[in-house]
Amino acid sequence: MASSAPFTVEQATAAGFLPASHWQKQALEDEGIDNSNDEELTRPARLGTASLTPTVYDYRAYYGRTYHGEVGNAEAWEPNDKQHVEAMEIFHHAMMVQLDGKLYLSPLDKKKVRRVLDVGTGNGMWAIDFADQFPDAEEIIGTDVSPIQPDWVPPNVKFEIDDCNLEWTWEPNSFDFTHMRMLSGVIDDWNKLFRNAYRCCKPGGWVESMGTNAEFLSDNGSIKPGSALHQWGKVFKEGGRKLGRPFSIYEDDLQRKGMEAAGFVDIQIKDIQCPMGVWHPDPKAHERGLWYKMAIEEDLEGYLNYIFHVVLGWIPEETKAFATQAKKEWNNPDIHGYFILRVVYGRKPEPGERKSAERPRTKIQISDLLS
């Protein structure tokens, strides 16, 4: 369980980001408010967890939001309440927009795809949509640590409660395709994750992972040092460091390294530059930025709550001030912020296909969508 001890100013500075109190102070300065004697903004007593029984329906509650119960070694940072489940629906569409309407990029043969695994399925939308596209698939399994998926699903879809950080219990060579999307801050050992995926993948099958970088970027220098967008990734990366579950998936190249170490071949990397907001003049890039902005704004509080409050010890007033400033910046058309969405997919070789000493060949495709 994450520690809720608040960062001191000195600790925040050493970690490379501004202290939480900076954002509250800035918000008050913007409003012309003097809070030097305001007792209502002092730090409140922090919430703890109630005594939980070992069932997945005994959710934990932090600052008015709920999170998964005791499942394996899991510590997922996104809420599982109704508000966030609804936000997941927009996020699912936003991710498909990033891929030009596709659910995946792996070169799948529809005639050969019989069993599929969706790791970290969330509200199950990806698994359900995949089943609609592959009605002849025998079984599509979506796993998550929260039972938040719908009851009415295609007949070949089922959902299971499982922590993907533990050893996978499926038999070797079980799945033709394994899909993983947006597991930043959730995985404690990426090499182990891909070893499990490799073992459970059928020879000739594919494994695909989608993730993003932690920090917002800008090519024209419009994300200024000390701005909320400049600080965003620094705060999340420090939260991931404290959790032992990194957000620096892109920066540390964890997807490619994990796939290569596991033994996958034909590894392909697709980097997509997604604007944050609607500043980009290209219509497709504009649409990608719009949908991602809508997805995050649908439950911005939910995305920040666990990392900022529970892990790093910010108080709600500080986080609210930070969120307000971040929204102001990504809605400013003069600030050209973007992030990198990386999709990596690889194939499990057929028996005898490659020698044990042979390194898998990696092809890198970079989409030059921001000129």
Side-chain angles (χ1 to χ4, degrees):
M1 203 66 63
S3 169
S4 61
F7 266 36
T8 64
V9 173
E10 291 76 14
Q11 288 173 322
T13 301
F17 60 87
L18 294 168
S21 57
H22 166 85
W23 304 104
Q24 187 180 354
K25 180 181 178 182
Q26 177 173 313
L28 294 171
E29 289 176 349
D30 289 346
E31 297 171 6
I33 298 174
D34 179 9
N35 73 324
S36 57
N37 296 311
D38 192 343
E39 296 182 358
E40 293 185 1
L41 295 179
T42 57
R43 187 176 300 275
R46 300 190 179 275
L47 300 181
T49 54
S51 177
L52 299 178
T53 57
T55 168
V56 295
Y57 290 103
D58 282 340
Y59 295 154
R60 301 171 295 158
Y62 298 107
Y63 294 89
R65 309 302 296 269
T66 62
Y67 298 82
H68 65 85
E70 296 179 7
V71 179
N73 188 37
E75 192 166 4
W77 54 275
E78 290 189 46
N80 63 4
D81 48 34
K82 181 180 179 181
Q83 181 179 351
H84 200 70
V85 170
E86 291 175 352
M88 287 179 181
E89 295 180 7
I90 299 178
F91 192 87
H92 170 64
H93 182 77
M95 290 298 96
M96 291 189 64
V97 170
Q98 311 307 315
L99 301 185
D100 289 329
K102 301 182 180 69
L103 286 170
Y104 59 90
L105 296 183
S106 299
L108 303 182
D109 184 343
K110 282 195 172 185
K111 297 179 181 179
K112 296 182 179 180
V113 175
R114 313 309 300 168
R115 298 190 74 214
V116 176
L117 177 64
D118 182 28
V119 179
T121 194
N123 65 351
M125 295 301 296
W126 186 92
I128 293 170
D129 284 354
F130 190 91
D132 289 339
Q133 292 188 16
F134 286 73
D136 295 331
E138 296 173 2
E139 186 176 53
I140 299 161
I141 301 174
T143 67
D144 205 273
V145 293
S146 287
I148 55 176
Q149 301 78 32
D151 295 325
W152 293 94
V153 297
N156 56 350
V157 173
K158 73 175 183 178
F159 298 111
E160 299 180 358
I161 299 299
D162 188 64
D163 176 14
C164 63
N165 287 296
L166 304 178
E167 285 296 326
W168 294 9
T169 57
W170 295 285
E171 294 294 324
N173 308 322
S174 292
F175 299 105
D176 300 288
F177 182 47
T178 296
H179 174 260
M180 314 176 194
R181 186 171 73 182
M182 307 304 279
L183 297 179
S184 299
V186 172
I187 305 303
D188 56 15
D189 186 340
W190 281 80
N191 282 346
K192 179 181 177 180
L193 178 76
F194 285 114
R195 286 197 303 270
N196 274 318
Y198 184 91
R199 176 174 53 82
C200 294
C201 184
K202 293 180 183 178
W206 292 85
V207 170
E208 180 168 318
S209 168
M210 175 188 287
T212 70
N213 62 322
E215 299 192 26
F216 287 108
L217 308 170
S218 66
D219 293 335
N220 65 351
S222 55
I223 294 182
K224 304 297 184 183
S227 65
L229 291 187
H230 176 264
Q231 294 288 299
W232 179 286
K234 296 181 181 298
V235 177
F236 270 97
K237 285 201 291 187
E238 180 60 23
R241 187 193 67 78
K242 287 196 71 176
L243 282 174
R245 301 161 192 265
F247 281 90
S248 52
I249 310 308
Y250 172 87
E251 291 88 341
D252 295 335
D253 201 12
L254 297 180
Q255 296 154 293
R256 180 189 61 81
K257 289 178 180 178
M259 280 198 175
E260 286 189 350
F264 289 97
V265 298
D266 293 338
I267 299 172
Q268 304 287 308
I269 301 175
K270 176 81 169 179
D271 285 346
I272 302 168
Q273 293 175 320
C274 177
M276 188 57 185
V278 293
W279 57 266
H280 203 284
D282 177 77
K284 284 192 173 182
H286 182 96
E287 183 183 14
R288 291 197 308 275
L290 171 63
W291 275 101
Y292 196 84
K293 183 180 85 75
M294 290 172 56
I296 298 301
E297 288 184 346
E298 183 68 17
D299 188 20
L300 180 56
E301 175 195 62
Y303 286 111
L304 303 181
N305 190 55
Y306 194 78
I307 297 297
F308 282 55
H309 296 155
V310 182
V311 179
L312 297 179
W314 292 32
I315 61 173
E317 289 83 0
E318 293 164 343
T319 302
K320 182 178 180 180
F322 176 88
T324 298
Q325 184 61 30
K327 287 176 65 175
K328 185 186 300 183
E329 290 176 14
W330 67 53
N331 283 295
N332 182 346
D334 294 328
I335 298 179
H336 294 181
Y338 66 89
F339 64 91
I340 304 296
L341 180 71
R342 169 164 286 187
V343 182
V344 182
Y345 52 96
R347 182 175 60 86
K348 182 175 181 176
E350 302 282 355
E353 181 178 343
R354 56 179 278 261
K355 299 177 182 178
S356 59
E358 179 188 352
R359 281 182 57 84
R361 186 164 58 114
T362 302
K363 298 179 181 178
I364 301 179
Q365 291 181 298
I366 305 296
S367 60
D368 188 18
L369 298 173
L370 289 179
S371 56

